[in-house]
Amino acid sequence: MSTLLSYPQPIEQAVAQIELILAQETERLLPPHLPLSYRSLALLLLQDDRGLWQQLTVSDWAYQQIHAIIENMQQQLGESPVAAIARTRQQTARQLEQSVLSEPATTQITIAERLHQLTVNPLTGFPILLGILYFGIYQFVGQFGAGILVDAIETAFETYVSPVVNHVTAVLFPWQPIQDLIANDYGLITLGIRYAVAIVLPIVATYFLMFSLLEDSGYLPRLSLMLDRLFKIIGLSGRAVIPMVLGLGCDTMATMVTRTLETKRERIIATFLLSLAIPCAAQWGVILGLLSQRPLALLIWAGFITTIFLVMGFLTAQLLPGQKADFFIEVPPLRLPRLKNILLKTYVRMKWYFWEIIPLFLWASVLIWLGRLTGLFELIIQGIQPIALWLGLPAASAPIFLYGFFRRDYGAAGLFDLQQQGALDGVQLLTAAVVLTLFLPCIAQLQIMIKERGWKMTLAMATFIIPFAFVMGYVVQRSIHLLGVNL
Amino acid sequence: MNCHQCRHTCHPNPSKRRPPWWRWSRKQKLPRSFHLPQALPKIALVGMPNVGKSALFNALTGSYVTVSNYPGTTVEVSQGQTVIGEQVVSVVDTPGMYSLLPITEEEKVARDLLLSTAMNLVIHVVDAKNLGRMLPLTFQLIEAGLPVLLVLNMMDEARHLQIHIQTEPLAAELGIPVLRTIAATNVGIRELKTTIASYVYTPQLSATY
């Protein structure tokens, strides 16, 4: 059919034979109206396309026939058909390219090329990474987003919105429980909306803006190249860098992106690490804001989480059988990002994120209201209080762990509230930050985990993560006390 | 072909998948009363990772799917619509794939789409700077008997590197139309739409017009 390509003779012969068999099967067994030609299907079967074998329903007779043909072909060919087919295609492609394309003989080293070298060479690449982390993450997201913006919006909310809402509901609804549902300490507007708009939104917005900039410049694939060796230790390859960096924005999104990883083993390790040791923007943003007055605590938190990330990754890689992943990546050119695309992308992500969290925050408010109304809330908090006390935290911190069950960022926002009331000291802040970072992913992420990895795997991960988070909190708290460090 | 009933459809069936209970406030994408025309012509954008499929999708449909500068931004199929001539056409954006023989799951998404859904046109988007590396997939699409259109994207970057491509001999050799675009700045989109028109043209519609 195609005069463009002709494969080595044994392959062509086998293809012709398989085509005939497929044509005979088409009446009864193949899914009808397959849009791909028999030649194409035959070539895929020759290359041992497992997925296609599963989708085709052929009779046992045809199955055996095709297998016999493939075996016969392999003997004649003396090499893997995948390689032979790929070589034929590449040769034809190169010839065709040469006949239609002209390019300059010498390629001059451009500024972009030099920049590329700087970003992938570990000697210069790590300082660049640190620079990006310091200015982009710490200064822009941490100080500006989680500090200045959150303070401004929080203050505005507390001075202009909350009192008005409290007053209006008090006038409109004479019944106390309804007032509490909408306003006061745990109301839909005064808690749910306030957490979403005043605390989470500014942090996520600044991070997504930062991340979009990195994405469009082409820096991320270069980071993958540089971190490849480090990631090999934890059973991943440089390919997993992008899902991990994305996870620092939103773990739900990142779990979806683990699809780009090649082996099932890599996907399991990546999913596990995302749900354990990669805090999302809202989480680490809040934690950055909380600990910014205590640089030592911040450093310990970051170091501790990084250590857990590496150690747990290493252990999982040892535990899970399987080969190390190969790594090759398309490295796109470094480009000057387009402002329009960055703003648009940040806006789209923000919108997505906002609609993702608002219902959850509101539901959480309703559930808390119901729980308080029925006394269940107090009961659960009393159940959590011993854990909180064991961790050396004040009893008043128990509710934030309950919030954490709904969403990690909701819990983090609760922590923020508590700190503003001056209820926590340095060690307590650090302990709570560690537990909340490691703690179970939010409902949306769990949902995606179940979808991508199956409920058994998800359950296994969750069963490990919950006690692990508390135990690690305890370890940090005890070590700090034993070492006598003053935070 | 009824797209909402076939089992291997590319997009989630909106009537079957109810949003979970905590999503009550989320807007439904398609209101119940709005029905997609049953047999819209379909065109698919396929190609290797990071060649600008999503950018072209945005340029064609006027909608927005995330576009970045690294391979693997798109991991799911997105679907949009555009009007070509007087015909409403369904446009499908796919995750990148190197070959019809999938290795990663995101490649499998794109392959399964081609395997399950008959397309009126498959647009193979390639990076004009790396034509030779991209052509093997073009061959495979042609081999599969699909109606293929080759789009040389990122022509601006190719030109910057002083790479010149003669499209006429390329089109003659491949036996399919070849067009040039710069999806990021909407260059070549009008010509692309004109070419698409001949694939999605339905005589009944224009006769009644």
Side-chain angles (χ1 to χ4, degrees):
Chain A
M1 174 213 120
S2 165
T3 52
L4 209 59
L5 280 179
S6 59
Y7 300 103
Q9 204 268 334
I11 291 179
E12 284 294 342
Q13 195 185 334
V15 166
Q17 288 168 342
I18 296 175
E19 272 186 81
L20 278 178
I21 295 170
L22 290 178
Q24 284 171 33
E25 293 284 303
T26 191
E27 295 281 297
R28 301 173 297 129
L29 294 164
L30 286 180
H33 316 301
L34 268 181
L36 304 191
S37 70
Y38 294 143
R39 181 180 168 82
S40 172
L41 295 176
L43 279 164
L44 288 173
L45 292 179
L46 274 187
Q47 296 174 82
D48 195 24
D49 186 333
R50 298 262 159 75
L52 183 62
W53 272 119
Q54 281 163 11
Q55 269 162 309
L56 288 183
T57 48
V58 292
S59 64
D60 286 346
W61 170 80
Y63 185 80
Q64 279 158 12
Q65 286 279 311
I66 294 174
H67 266 281
I69 294 169
I70 293 174
E71 231 160 79
N72 186 26
M73 176 269 309
Q74 234 146 9
Q75 274 173 7
Q76 287 183 43
L77 194 65
E79 65 173 321
S80 119
V82 178
I85 289 171
R87 198 179 49 241
T88 311
R89 285 177 183 150
Q90 280 158 14
Q91 277 169 0
T92 319
R94 211 170 304 135
Q95 280 162 13
L96 186 54
E97 186 192 42
Q98 274 167 11
S99 71
V100 298
L101 182 142
S102 63
E103 58 186 325
T106 51
T107 44
Q108 72 245 37
I109 297 168
T110 55
I111 304 166
E113 176 60 31
R114 280 210 197 97
L115 261 175
H116 165 80
Q117 290 302 338
L118 288 180
T119 52
V120 293
N121 185 338
L123 277 181
T124 45
F126 273 105
I128 291 177
L129 177 62
L130 285 179
I132 290 175
L133 286 177
Y134 181 75
F135 289 106
I137 300 294
Y138 184 75
Q139 290 293 343
F140 185 61
V141 184
Q143 301 292 331
F144 176 68
I148 297 171
L149 277 185
V150 168
D151 275 349
I153 302 178
E154 261 274 296
T155 316
F157 207 101
E158 294 282 14
T159 18
Y160 300 109
V161 184
S162 293
V164 176
V165 172
N166 287 347
H167 181 72
V168 169
T169 39
V171 172
L172 284 180
F173 306 103
W175 196 39
Q176 178 75 26
I178 293 287
Q179 290 174 13
D180 283 346
L181 174 63
I182 299 165
N184 300 338
D185 281 353
Y186 296 94
L188 280 173
I189 297 174
T190 44
L191 186 80
I193 300 279
R194 181 167 64 88
Y195 273 10
V197 174
I199 301 183
V200 175
L201 195 71
I203 296 171
V204 175
T206 41
Y207 179 73
F208 278 158
L209 194 65
M210 189 60 220
F211 184 70
S212 302
L213 201 71
L214 287 180
E215 266 189 333
D216 282 18
S217 66
Y219 176 70
L220 292 179
R222 287 165 176 86
L223 185 64
S224 307
L225 270 184
M226 195 181 71
L227 293 182
D228 182 46
R229 207 170 298 164
L230 186 67
F231 268 52
K232 286 266 161 66
I233 300 172
I234 56 171
L236 296 169
S237 69
R239 199 185 294 269
V241 167
I242 287 172
M244 295 297 157
V245 178
L246 198 56
L248 290 174
C250 173
D251 284 303
T252 309
M253 219 188 259
T255 307
M256 216 136 73
V257 173
T258 56
R259 275 186 207 172
T260 55
L261 304 179
E262 256 183 49
T263 60
K264 196 179 165 200
R265 176 170 179 263
E266 264 188 290
R267 290 195 283 267
I268 292 173
I269 297 175
T271 309
F272 176 66
L273 288 177
L274 278 173
S275 57
L276 178 71
I278 303 280
C280 67
Q283 258 183 313
W284 61 253
V286 169
I287 290 168
L288 221 59
L290 286 178
L291 298 180
S292 60
Q293 262 82 59
R294 305 169 206 270
L296 184 60
L298 186 63
L299 220 58
I300 295 176
W301 171 78
F304 191 69
I305 298 296
T306 314
T307 312
I308 286 190
F309 175 81
L310 293 175
V311 170
M312 292 316 290
F314 176 74
L315 291 180
T316 333
Q318 300 302 309
L319 213 67
L320 281 177
Q323 289 180 333
K324 285 209 175 94
D326 286 333
F327 176 59
F328 72 97
I329 191 167
E330 301 278 316
V331 179
L334 284 169
R335 295 188 175 116
L336 208 59
R338 274 170 212 280
L339 189 65
K340 194 182 146 215
N341 191 37
I342 286 178
L343 293 179
L344 193 59
K345 184 150 60 176
T346 308
Y347 168 74
V348 167
R349 288 217 169 112
M350 288 299 311
K351 210 170 78 174
W352 173 81
Y353 191 85
F354 205 61
W355 285 117
E356 193 74 32
I357 60 167
I358 281 274
L360 278 162
F361 278 23
L362 293 184
W363 271 112
S365 292
V366 171
L367 283 177
I368 290 169
W369 174 74
L370 269 177
R372 280 161 51 88
L373 210 60
T374 54
L376 205 64
F377 188 71
E378 300 304 321
L379 216 66
I380 298 172
I381 286 182
Q382 271 171 25
I384 303 174
Q385 263 171 8
I387 305 178
L389 293 173
W390 178 63
L391 288 171
L393 297 173
S397 68
I400 62 170
F401 291 106
L402 190 60
Y403 299 167
F405 268 114
F406 295 111
R407 267 190 82 94
R408 288 198 279 195
D409 41 15
Y410 198 74
L415 197 61
F416 195 83
D417 246 7
L418 214 58
Q419 194 255 2
Q420 295 227 310
Q421 294 157 19
L424 296 170
D425 66 25
V427 184
Q428 290 172 329
L429 266 177
L430 178 65
T431 313
V434 165
V435 175
L436 274 172
T437 309
L438 298 176
F439 202 58
L440 207 62
C442 64
I443 293 173
Q445 191 187 348
L446 271 176
Q447 225 190 338
I448 295 290
M449 277 168 75
I450 293 170
K451 192 177 146 217
E452 300 281 323
R453 298 287 95 81
W455 66 268
K456 267 190 213 160
M457 190 70 76
T458 309
L459 197 68
M461 289 180 186
T463 324
F464 174 79
I465 289 171
I466 298 176
F468 184 77
F470 285 112
V471 169
M472 283 302 118
Y474 184 73
V475 167
V476 166
Q477 189 252 122
R478 288 308 305 165
S479 326
I480 298 286
H481 277 300
L482 283 177
L483 292 172
V485 182
N486 202 1
L487 293 176
Chain B
M1 179 169 167
N2 187 336
C3 201
H4 285 285
Q5 279 166 16
C6 70
R7 251 183 332 126
H8 302 291
T9 176
C10 49
H11 29 263
N13 185 333
S15 61
K16 259 194 198 156
R17 284 233 328 236
R18 283 185 49 206
W21 52 267
W22 60 84
R23 296 250 175 97
W24 54 274
S25 80
R26 201 171 200 177
K27 269 183 263 167
Q28 287 266 314
K29 288 252 166 69
L30 289 178
R32 279 283 146 78
S33 57
F34 181 81
H35 282 289
L36 277 172
Q38 295 292 314
L40 275 188
K42 292 183 206 42
I43 58 180
L45 296 161
V46 301
M48 289 191 193
N50 216 41
V51 295
K53 295 177 291 298
S54 298
L56 202 60
F57 177 85
N58 293 341
L60 276 175
T61 60
S63 54
Y64 183 80
V65 291
T66 306
V67 176
S68 306
N69 186 14
Y70 63 79
T73 306
T74 308
V75 290
E76 283 193 314
V77 169
S78 0
Q79 203 257 145
Q81 286 182 10
T82 185
V83 177
I84 289 177
E86 292 111 41
Q87 176 70 52
V88 181
V89 175
S90 160
V91 184
V92 186
D93 182 28
T94 66
M97 61 171 166
Y98 290 97
S99 133
L100 276 186
L101 190 71
I103 299 172
T104 63
E105 276 182 18
E106 101 242 44
E107 280 187 275
K108 201 169 173 313
V109 172
R111 204 278 297 272
D112 285 351
L113 174 74
L114 289 180
L115 199 59
S116 60
T117 316
M119 295 288 165
N120 292 64
L121 177 64
V122 174
I123 299 179
H124 183 205
V125 187
V126 301
D127 174 358
K129 303 190 297 297
N130 292 303
L131 182 64
R133 224 161 35 81
M134 314 243 153
L135 279 176
L137 184 58
T138 322
F139 297 154
Q140 292 173 60
L141 297 169
I142 297 172
E143 248 172 13
L146 297 165
V148 189
L149 165 65
L150 186 65
V151 166
L152 309 177
N153 193 30
M154 308 190 185
M155 279 310 294
D156 50 342
E157 291 186 350
R159 207 166 294 147
H160 188 72
L161 294 172
Q162 298 175 322
I163 295 174
H164 298 286
I165 302 172
Q166 299 165 274
T167 46
E168 290 86 6
L170 185 60
E173 196 65 39
L174 291 170
I176 58 171
V178 178
L179 293 173
R180 306 172 213 234
T181 59
I182 307 165
T185 51
N186 276 337
V187 175
I189 303 302
R190 203 181 309 150
E191 293 80 352
L192 178 61
K193 283 191 170 180
T194 317
T195 316
I196 295 174
S198 61
Y199 287 87
V200 296
Y201 174 76
T202 44
Q204 307 94 304
L205 261 181
S206 43
T208 50
Y209 189 70

